[in-house]
Amino acid sequence: MKQLKPAVLAGIFSVAGVLSWAGARLWNAYGSLPGVPLAAPVVLGVIAVVLLATALSLRSRLKAQRERRPDAKGVEPLMAARALVFGQASALVAALVAGMYGGVGVFLLADGLEVPARRDQAWYAAFSVLAGIAVIAAALFLERVLKLPEDDDTAPPQAPSRA
């Protein structure tokens, strides 16, 4: 499985942010802008906590297994693979969602925060961006915990010589 690259996540965040900002401007010109739900940062925060808890649990189990403790509970490879896929998918979606709410937040800041409802929406968007970054950080940490050690054999096998 390939590792997530922070540059790819930053690119997704940026493109989603620009498109969301442009969409918010267009939507606002034709009517009222849809609101940022209060549940957005809450759900992203819960996902970040779940990813972090999974990473910490797996890290301690792997450490106990490496130290060959008699009471060590092993990590099943399929469960580790599922956790890794969940982390990577969460990071990709969080980059997209955080970029989207970031673009809306920038639009709201540029448009002015005189209206209390818009001010609240800007806060919700900011918290959503922060929670999305937390999801990405937790997913990258989980990926680091589950990374297999490199082989000590870095030299390619040599073909037998002809005599």
Side-chain angles (χ1 to χ4, degrees):
M1 205 170 204
K2 291 186 179 182
Q3 278 188 300
L4 283 177
K5 294 184 178 19
V8 170
L9 296 171
I12 291 170
F13 177 84
S14 301
V15 169
V18 169
L19 291 175
S20 176
W21 172 78
R25 285 189 63 198
L26 181 65
W27 199 312
N28 193 52
Y30 288 108
S32 64
L33 184 66
V36 177
L38 176 61
V42 173
V43 170
L44 287 170
V46 167
I47 292 171
V49 167
V50 167
L51 284 171
L52 184 62
T54 303
L56 293 174
S57 171
L58 289 174
R59 184 176 72 167
S60 68
R61 288 170 67 179
L62 288 170
K63 183 180 176 188
Q65 196 173 4
R66 264 184 263 122
E67 293 173 352
R68 300 187 191 278
R69 292 187 198 153
D71 61 338
K73 187 175 180 185
V75 176
E76 294 180 28
L78 189 58
M79 196 269 295
R82 287 178 180 158
L84 184 62
V85 168
F86 173 64
Q88 287 185 344
S90 297
L92 291 169
V93 171
L96 182 68
V97 170
M100 184 182 76
Y101 287 130
V104 170
V106 168
F107 169 76
L108 290 170
L109 287 174
D111 194 43
L113 300 174
E114 294 81 27
V115 180
R118 289 249 171 149
R119 193 173 324 121
D120 291 343
Q121 295 298 306
W123 279 110
Y124 297 159
F127 289 138
S128 296
V129 171
L130 291 175
I133 291 170
V135 169
I136 292 169
L140 291 175
F141 177 62
L142 175 64
E143 189 175 58
R144 184 171 171 235
V145 165
L146 293 175
K147 185 176 182 193
L148 294 174
E150 296 294 324
D151 289 336
D152 292 334
D153 245 9
T154 55
Q158 296 181 4
S161 59
R162 292 187 204 172

